[in-house]
PDB file of all heavy atoms in Angstrom:
ATOM      1  N   ARG G 687      20.502 -13.686  38.181  1.00  0.00           N
ATOM      2  CA  ARG G 687      21.356 -13.044  39.258  1.00  0.00           C
ATOM      3  C   ARG G 687      20.603 -11.955  40.020  1.00  0.00           C
ATOM      4  O   ARG G 687      20.729 -11.827  41.192  1.00  0.00           O
ATOM      5  CB  ARG G 687      22.591 -12.272  38.434  1.00  0.00           C
ATOM      6  CG  ARG G 687      23.620 -13.261  37.926  1.00  0.00           C
ATOM      7  CD  ARG G 687      24.699 -12.494  37.098  1.00  0.00           C
ATOM      8  NE  ARG G 687      25.492 -11.619  37.932  1.00  0.00           N
ATOM      9  CZ  ARG G 687      26.288 -10.619  37.488  1.00  0.00           C
ATOM     10  NH1 ARG G 687      26.343 -10.368  36.143  1.00  0.00           N
ATOM     11  NH2 ARG G 687      26.786  -9.782  38.336  1.00  0.00           N
ATOM     12  N   ILE G 688      19.667 -11.270  39.255  1.00  0.00           N
ATOM     13  CA  ILE G 688      18.872 -10.207  39.945  1.00  0.00           C
ATOM     14  C   ILE G 688      17.975 -10.919  40.951  1.00  0.00           C
ATOM     15  O   ILE G 688      17.715 -10.463  42.052  1.00  0.00           O
ATOM     16  CB  ILE G 688      18.145  -9.390  38.963  1.00  0.00           C
ATOM     17  CG1 ILE G 688      19.062  -8.556  38.121  1.00  0.00           C
ATOM     18  CG2 ILE G 688      17.204  -8.444  39.729  1.00  0.00           C
ATOM     19  CD1 ILE G 688      18.461  -7.834  36.909  1.00  0.00           C
ATOM     20  N   SER G 689      17.314 -12.050  40.498  1.00  0.00           N
ATOM     21  CA  SER G 689      16.446 -12.760  41.503  1.00  0.00           C
ATOM     22  C   SER G 689      17.201 -13.245  42.719  1.00  0.00           C
ATOM     23  O   SER G 689      16.634 -13.280  43.678  1.00  0.00           O
ATOM     24  CB  SER G 689      15.710 -13.817  40.753  1.00  0.00           C
ATOM     25  OG  SER G 689      16.550 -14.914  40.371  1.00  0.00           O
ATOM     26  N   GLY G 690      18.369 -13.588  42.463  1.00  0.00           N
ATOM     27  CA  GLY G 690      19.203 -14.069  43.662  1.00  0.00           C
ATOM     28  C   GLY G 690      19.432 -13.041  44.589  1.00  0.00           C
ATOM     29  O   GLY G 690      19.421 -13.137  45.787  1.00  0.00           O
ATOM     30  N   LEU G 691      19.687 -11.792  44.120  1.00  0.00           N
ATOM     31  CA  LEU G 691      20.004 -10.661  44.836  1.00  0.00           C
ATOM     32  C   LEU G 691      18.787 -10.296  45.700  1.00  0.00           C
ATOM     33  O   LEU G 691      18.853  -9.830  46.803  1.00  0.00           O
ATOM     34  CB  LEU G 691      20.509  -9.399  44.054  1.00  0.00           C
ATOM     35  CG  LEU G 691      20.634  -8.118  44.779  1.00  0.00           C
ATOM     36  CD1 LEU G 691      21.780  -8.259  45.814  1.00  0.00           C
ATOM     37  CD2 LEU G 691      21.031  -6.968  43.780  1.00  0.00           C
ATOM     38  N   GLU G 692      17.605 -10.408  45.019  1.00  0.00           N
ATOM     39  CA  GLU G 692      16.323 -10.066  45.742  1.00  0.00           C
ATOM     40  C   GLU G 692      16.205 -10.973  46.947  1.00  0.00           C
ATOM     41  O   GLU G 692      15.791 -10.472  48.115  1.00  0.00           O
ATOM     42  CB  GLU G 692      15.235 -10.232  44.716  1.00  0.00           C
ATOM     43  CG  GLU G 692      13.855  -9.748  45.387  1.00  0.00           C
ATOM     44  CD  GLU G 692      12.625  -9.958  44.471  1.00  0.00           C
ATOM     45  OE1 GLU G 692      12.858 -10.764  43.524  1.00  0.00           O
ATOM     46  OE2 GLU G 692      11.581  -9.300  44.745  1.00  0.00           O
ATOM     47  N   LEU G 693      16.531 -12.238  46.786  1.00  0.00           N
ATOM     48  CA  LEU G 693      16.385 -13.200  47.942  1.00  0.00           C
ATOM     49  C   LEU G 693      17.369 -12.815  48.984  1.00  0.00           C
ATOM     50  O   LEU G 693      17.042 -12.870  50.178  1.00  0.00           O
ATOM     51  CB  LEU G 693      16.547 -14.622  47.447  1.00  0.00           C
ATOM     52  CG  LEU G 693      15.402 -15.340  46.840  1.00  0.00           C
ATOM     53  CD1 LEU G 693      15.780 -16.760  46.741  1.00  0.00           C
ATOM     54  CD2 LEU G 693      14.248 -15.245  47.761  1.00  0.00           C
ATOM     55  N   GLU G 694      18.594 -12.404  48.642  1.00  0.00           N
ATOM     56  CA  GLU G 694      19.594 -12.057  49.585  1.00  0.00           C
ATOM     57  C   GLU G 694      19.104 -10.811  50.369  1.00  0.00           C
ATOM     58  O   GLU G 694      19.332 -10.683  51.651  1.00  0.00           O
ATOM     59  CB  GLU G 694      20.979 -11.781  48.924  1.00  0.00           C
ATOM     60  CG  GLU G 694      21.723 -13.125  48.589  1.00  0.00           C
ATOM     61  CD  GLU G 694      23.184 -12.698  48.275  1.00  0.00           C
ATOM     62  OE1 GLU G 694      23.890 -12.432  49.264  1.00  0.00           O
ATOM     63  OE2 GLU G 694      23.506 -12.767  47.018  1.00  0.00           O
ATOM     64  N   LEU G 695      18.534  -9.812  49.706  1.00  0.00           N
ATOM     65  CA  LEU G 695      18.098  -8.554  50.408  1.00  0.00           C
ATOM     66  C   LEU G 695      17.129  -8.952  51.469  1.00  0.00           C
ATOM     67  O   LEU G 695      17.111  -8.469  52.521  1.00  0.00           O
ATOM     68  CB  LEU G 695      17.530  -7.724  49.353  1.00  0.00           C
ATOM     69  CG  LEU G 695      18.463  -6.692  48.671  1.00  0.00           C
ATOM     70  CD1 LEU G 695      17.748  -6.031  47.506  1.00  0.00           C
ATOM     71  CD2 LEU G 695      18.801  -5.579  49.786  1.00  0.00           C
ATOM     72  N   LEU G 696      16.156  -9.815  51.066  1.00  0.00           N
ATOM     73  CA  LEU G 696      15.014 -10.031  51.901  1.00  0.00           C
ATOM     74  C   LEU G 696      15.295 -11.088  53.021  1.00  0.00           C
ATOM     75  O   LEU G 696      14.526 -11.182  53.953  1.00  0.00           O
ATOM     76  CB  LEU G 696      13.722 -10.523  51.068  1.00  0.00           C
ATOM     77  CG  LEU G 696      13.251  -9.447  50.316  1.00  0.00           C
ATOM     78  CD1 LEU G 696      12.176 -10.091  49.293  1.00  0.00           C
ATOM     79  CD2 LEU G 696      12.421  -8.427  51.169  1.00  0.00           C
ATOM     80  N   GLY G 697      16.400 -11.832  52.869  1.00  0.00           N
ATOM     81  CA  GLY G 697      16.790 -12.819  53.884  1.00  0.00           C
ATOM     82  C   GLY G 697      15.649 -13.873  53.970  1.00  0.00           C
ATOM     83  O   GLY G 697      14.993 -14.410  53.050  1.00  0.00           O
ATOM     84  N   THR G 698      15.353 -14.241  55.235  1.00  0.00           N
ATOM     85  CA  THR G 698      14.373 -15.192  55.465  1.00  0.00           C
ATOM     86  C   THR G 698      12.898 -14.860  54.982  1.00  0.00           C
ATOM     87  O   THR G 698      12.172 -15.706  54.595  1.00  0.00           O
ATOM     88  CB  THR G 698      14.200 -15.528  56.892  1.00  0.00           C
ATOM     89  OG1 THR G 698      13.944 -14.356  57.768  1.00  0.00           O
ATOM     90  CG2 THR G 698      15.474 -16.256  57.508  1.00  0.00           C
ATOM     91  N   GLU G 699      12.603 -13.659  55.016  1.00  0.00           N
ATOM     92  CA  GLU G 699      11.449 -13.025  54.453  1.00  0.00           C
ATOM     93  C   GLU G 699      11.210 -13.424  52.936  1.00  0.00           C
ATOM     94  O   GLU G 699      10.134 -13.785  52.515  1.00  0.00           O
ATOM     95  CB  GLU G 699      11.356 -11.583  54.575  1.00  0.00           C
ATOM     96  CG  GLU G 699      10.184 -10.891  54.029  1.00  0.00           C
ATOM     97  CD  GLU G 699      10.204  -9.403  54.048  1.00  0.00           C
ATOM     98  OE1 GLU G 699      11.064  -8.834  54.736  1.00  0.00           O
ATOM     99  OE2 GLU G 699       9.351  -8.811  53.365  1.00  0.00           O
ATOM    100  N   GLY G 700      12.290 -13.484  52.210  1.00  0.00           N
ATOM    101  CA  GLY G 700      12.253 -13.831  50.891  1.00  0.00           C
ATOM    102  C   GLY G 700      11.886 -15.409  50.580  1.00  0.00           C
ATOM    103  O   GLY G 700      11.486 -15.704  49.572  1.00  0.00           O
ATOM    104  N   LEU G 701      12.192 -16.169  51.696  1.00  0.00           N
ATOM    105  CA  LEU G 701      11.899 -17.611  51.513  1.00  0.00           C
ATOM    106  C   LEU G 701      10.440 -17.933  51.643  1.00  0.00           C
ATOM    107  O   LEU G 701      10.011 -19.045  51.374  1.00  0.00           O
ATOM    108  CB  LEU G 701      12.669 -18.433  52.519  1.00  0.00           C
ATOM    109  CG  LEU G 701      14.243 -18.247  52.320  1.00  0.00           C
ATOM    110  CD1 LEU G 701      15.039 -19.056  53.457  1.00  0.00           C
ATOM    111  CD2 LEU G 701      14.737 -18.760  51.031  1.00  0.00           C
ATOM    112  N   ALA G 702       9.694 -17.042  52.184  1.00  0.00           N
ATOM    113  CA  ALA G 702       8.196 -17.276  52.381  1.00  0.00           C
ATOM    114  C   ALA G 702       7.613 -17.307  51.018  1.00  0.00           C
ATOM    115  O   ALA G 702       7.327 -16.223  50.378  1.00  0.00           O
ATOM    116  CB  ALA G 702       7.657 -16.164  53.307  1.00  0.00           C
ATOM    117  N   TYR G 703       7.199 -18.412  50.556  1.00  0.00           N
ATOM    118  CA  TYR G 703       6.692 -18.520  49.194  1.00  0.00           C
ATOM    119  C   TYR G 703       5.191 -18.007  49.146  1.00  0.00           C
ATOM    120  O   TYR G 703       4.408 -18.280  50.089  1.00  0.00           O
ATOM    121  CB  TYR G 703       6.613 -19.967  48.664  1.00  0.00           C
ATOM    122  CG  TYR G 703       6.642 -20.090  47.144  1.00  0.00           C
ATOM    123  CD1 TYR G 703       7.697 -19.768  46.421  1.00  0.00           C
ATOM    124  CD2 TYR G 703       5.392 -20.465  46.503  1.00  0.00           C
ATOM    125  CE1 TYR G 703       7.665 -19.857  45.050  1.00  0.00           C
ATOM    126  CE2 TYR G 703       5.251 -20.583  45.122  1.00  0.00           C
ATOM    127  CZ  TYR G 703       6.405 -20.221  44.351  1.00  0.00           C
ATOM    128  OH  TYR G 703       6.383 -20.351  42.992  1.00  0.00           O
ATOM    129  N   ASP G 704       4.854 -17.251  48.214  1.00  0.00           N
ATOM    130  CA  ASP G 704       3.575 -16.482  48.242  1.00  0.00           C
ATOM    131  C   ASP G 704       2.357 -17.393  48.011  1.00  0.00           C
ATOM    132  O   ASP G 704       1.307 -17.144  48.521  1.00  0.00           O
ATOM    133  CB  ASP G 704       3.603 -15.333  47.257  1.00  0.00           C
ATOM    134  CG  ASP G 704       3.996 -15.695  45.776  1.00  0.00           C
ATOM    135  OD1 ASP G 704       4.298 -16.825  45.611  1.00  0.00           O
ATOM    136  OD2 ASP G 704       3.791 -14.785  44.866  1.00  0.00           O
ATOM    137  N   ASP G 705       2.537 -18.369  47.073  1.00  0.00           N
ATOM    138  CA  ASP G 705       1.356 -18.987  46.805  1.00  0.00           C
ATOM    139  C   ASP G 705       1.775 -20.385  46.138  1.00  0.00           C
ATOM    140  O   ASP G 705       2.303 -20.390  45.050  1.00  0.00           O
ATOM    141  CB  ASP G 705       0.390 -18.288  45.844  1.00  0.00           C
ATOM    142  CG  ASP G 705      -0.967 -18.899  45.669  1.00  0.00           C
ATOM    143  OD1 ASP G 705      -1.130 -20.066  46.135  1.00  0.00           O
ATOM    144  OD2 ASP G 705      -1.732 -18.397  44.907  1.00  0.00           O
ATOM    145  N   TRP G 706       1.387 -21.497  46.681  1.00  0.00           N
ATOM    146  CA  TRP G 706       1.798 -22.766  46.155  1.00  0.00           C
ATOM    147  C   TRP G 706       0.553 -23.334  45.453  1.00  0.00           C
ATOM    148  O   TRP G 706       0.575 -24.615  45.202  1.00  0.00           O
ATOM    149  CB  TRP G 706       2.339 -23.707  47.151  1.00  0.00           C
ATOM    150  CG  TRP G 706       3.017 -24.888  46.508  1.00  0.00           C
ATOM    151  CD1 TRP G 706       2.556 -26.253  46.688  1.00  0.00           C
ATOM    152  CD2 TRP G 706       4.297 -25.036  45.944  1.00  0.00           C
ATOM    153  NE1 TRP G 706       3.440 -27.074  46.092  1.00  0.00           N
ATOM    154  CE2 TRP G 706       4.502 -26.302  45.468  1.00  0.00           C
ATOM    155  CE3 TRP G 706       5.271 -24.070  45.583  1.00  0.00           C
ATOM    156  CZ2 TRP G 706       5.525 -26.774  44.875  1.00  0.00           C
ATOM    157  CZ3 TRP G 706       6.389 -24.524  44.820  1.00  0.00           C
ATOM    158  CH2 TRP G 706       6.603 -25.831  44.498  1.00  0.00           C
ATOM    159  N   THR G 707      -0.446 -22.730  45.257  1.00  0.00           N
ATOM    160  CA  THR G 707      -1.705 -23.360  44.714  1.00  0.00           C
ATOM    161  C   THR G 707      -1.451 -23.766  43.217  1.00  0.00           C
ATOM    162  O   THR G 707      -0.954 -23.032  42.396  1.00  0.00           O
ATOM    163  CB  THR G 707      -2.879 -22.203  44.591  1.00  0.00           C
ATOM    164  OG1 THR G 707      -3.049 -21.805  45.995  1.00  0.00           O
ATOM    165  CG2 THR G 707      -4.113 -22.853  44.139  1.00  0.00           C
ATOM    166  N   PHE G 708      -1.895 -24.970  42.906  1.00  0.00           N
ATOM    167  CA  PHE G 708      -1.747 -25.459  41.568  1.00  0.00           C
ATOM    168  C   PHE G 708      -2.796 -24.784  40.697  1.00  0.00           C
ATOM    169  O   PHE G 708      -3.986 -24.843  40.976  1.00  0.00           O
ATOM    170  CB  PHE G 708      -2.032 -27.057  41.484  1.00  0.00           C
ATOM    171  CG  PHE G 708      -2.040 -27.543  40.122  1.00  0.00           C
ATOM    172  CD1 PHE G 708      -0.850 -27.650  39.434  1.00  0.00           C
ATOM    173  CD2 PHE G 708      -3.196 -27.939  39.601  1.00  0.00           C
ATOM    174  CE1 PHE G 708      -0.934 -28.157  38.121  1.00  0.00           C
ATOM    175  CE2 PHE G 708      -3.218 -28.412  38.263  1.00  0.00           C
ATOM    176  CZ  PHE G 708      -2.113 -28.509  37.436  1.00  0.00           C
ATOM    177  N   ARG G 709      -2.329 -24.183  39.603  1.00  0.00           N
ATOM    178  CA  ARG G 709      -3.199 -23.498  38.619  1.00  0.00           C
ATOM    179  C   ARG G 709      -2.518 -23.469  37.232  1.00  0.00           C
ATOM    180  O   ARG G 709      -1.363 -23.584  37.124  1.00  0.00           O
ATOM    181  CB  ARG G 709      -3.612 -22.166  39.120  1.00  0.00           C
ATOM    182  CG  ARG G 709      -2.402 -21.203  39.271  1.00  0.00           C
ATOM    183  CD  ARG G 709      -2.981 -19.788  39.599  1.00  0.00           C
ATOM    184  NE  ARG G 709      -1.974 -18.842  39.850  1.00  0.00           N
ATOM    185  CZ  ARG G 709      -1.505 -18.603  41.074  1.00  0.00           C
ATOM    186  NH1 ARG G 709      -2.032 -19.119  42.195  1.00  0.00           N
ATOM    187  NH2 ARG G 709      -0.547 -17.671  41.201  1.00  0.00           N
ATOM    188  N   ARG G 710      -3.389 -23.345  36.290  1.00  0.00           N
ATOM    189  CA  ARG G 710      -2.882 -23.080  34.836  1.00  0.00           C
ATOM    190  C   ARG G 710      -3.149 -21.743  34.531  1.00  0.00           C
ATOM    191  O   ARG G 710      -4.330 -21.330  34.223  1.00  0.00           O
ATOM    192  CB  ARG G 710      -3.773 -24.139  33.948  1.00  0.00           C
ATOM    193  CG  ARG G 710      -3.650 -25.561  34.512  1.00  0.00           C
ATOM    194  CD  ARG G 710      -4.497 -26.469  33.632  1.00  0.00           C
ATOM    195  NE  ARG G 710      -3.858 -26.947  32.494  1.00  0.00           N
ATOM    196  CZ  ARG G 710      -4.335 -27.727  31.615  1.00  0.00           C
ATOM    197  NH1 ARG G 710      -5.572 -28.258  31.875  1.00  0.00           N
ATOM    198  NH2 ARG G 710      -3.655 -28.186  30.536  1.00  0.00           N
ATOM    199  N   PRO G 711      -2.135 -20.892  34.534  1.00  0.00           N
ATOM    200  CA  PRO G 711      -2.322 -19.443  34.359  1.00  0.00           C
ATOM    201  C   PRO G 711      -2.892 -19.031  33.039  1.00  0.00           C
ATOM    202  O   PRO G 711      -2.566 -19.738  32.001  1.00  0.00           O
ATOM    203  CB  PRO G 711      -0.921 -18.897  34.593  1.00  0.00           C
ATOM    204  CG  PRO G 711      -0.036 -20.062  34.243  1.00  0.00           C
ATOM    205  CD  PRO G 711      -0.755 -21.284  34.650  1.00  0.00           C
ATOM    206  N   GLU G 712      -3.613 -17.902  32.966  1.00  0.00           N
ATOM    207  CA  GLU G 712      -4.060 -17.461  31.765  1.00  0.00           C
ATOM    208  C   GLU G 712      -3.040 -16.623  30.966  1.00  0.00           C
ATOM    209  O   GLU G 712      -3.234 -16.476  29.817  1.00  0.00           O
ATOM    210  CB  GLU G 712      -5.323 -16.604  31.971  1.00  0.00           C
ATOM    211  CG  GLU G 712      -6.518 -17.391  32.562  1.00  0.00           C
ATOM    212  CD  GLU G 712      -7.128 -18.285  31.506  1.00  0.00           C
ATOM    213  OE1 GLU G 712      -7.459 -17.839  30.426  1.00  0.00           O
ATOM    214  OE2 GLU G 712      -7.003 -19.573  31.708  1.00  0.00           O
TER     215      GLU G 712
END
Side-chain angles (χ1 to χ4, degrees):
R687 291 176 61 195
I688 294 171
S689 68
L691 176 62
E692 185 182 21
L693 276 190
E694 281 196 71
L695 270 167
L696 290 169
T698 54
E699 180 185 341
L701 298 177
Y703 202 74
D704 56 352
D705 187 359
W706 192 254
T707 304
F708 173 75
R709 60 173 174 267
R710 306 175 84 177
E712 293 293 300

